[in-house]
Amino acid sequence: MSVTVSAGRLASRGDSGEDPGRMTSPDATALSGRNHALQRAEGRSWRTLAVRPGREEGMRLFSAAVEAEPRRVLRLIEVDFKDGSDGREFDWRLIDLHDPRRRGLVPDLSPAAPAPARKVPPSRGRARVPVRLYAGVVVLGAVLAAAIWFVTHGV
């Protein structure tokens, strides 16, 4: 297997030159024994990038993927395909996880918790009256009325 990194993307080729990434159904040789799969997080699901038969080979692929894309959430899992399945049913066990959010490389993209709602005091059947506004209008009216009275009566 050869692993190359170009332009920040992981390109992995097997000995025969085929691209094992985006594998939907592994062939019959991949279904035997324990395999190791490299996956990356996409939203709430995981996309399988490659399936390798040996643990060392899987660990090398995982290390190369972390170096190539350090800002992605990646995991290496051990896969045991169920008998009689076409590769869609399997049991798995986590081997390694690369989560850049825990190391502070990228911000946490989960939605923030909503602010707690303010409690509104129960009303007693009356609306709240803007007392300062009314007092200001009354005082302004009194001053204006006094000014008009002084101007008209000539004091």
Side-chain angles (χ1 to χ4, degrees), residues 4-92:
T4 58
V5 178
S6 61
R9 304 291 292 173
L10 174 68
S12 167
R13 302 252 181 232
D15 293 332
S16 60
E18 79 280 356
D19 187 7
R22 294 175 182 81
M23 195 179 236
T24 56
S25 176
D27 58 0
T29 59
L31 291 175
S32 62
R34 293 196 174 188
N35 297 301
H36 293 80
L38 173 66
Q39 296 181 328
R40 90 168 164 223
E42 289 187 357
R44 291 186 177 203
S45 63
W46 292 90
R47 182 177 197 142
T48 301
L49 301 177
V51 177
R52 296 287 183 242
R55 184 178 181 123
E56 294 80 22
E57 196 174 347
M59 290 297 287
R60 281 194 303 269
L61 182 64
F62 180 75
S63 297
V66 168
E67 288 177 15
E69 301 184 57
R71 296 174 63 93
R72 292 215 182 242
V73 178
L74 300 167
R75 74 179 179 184
L76 179 66
I77 60 172
E78 185 177 83
V79 180
D80 290 323
F81 292 102
K82 294 185 178 180
D83 293 334
S85 72
D86 60 350
R88 296 179 194 264
E89 296 178 19
F90 54 87
D91 295 323
W92 63 275

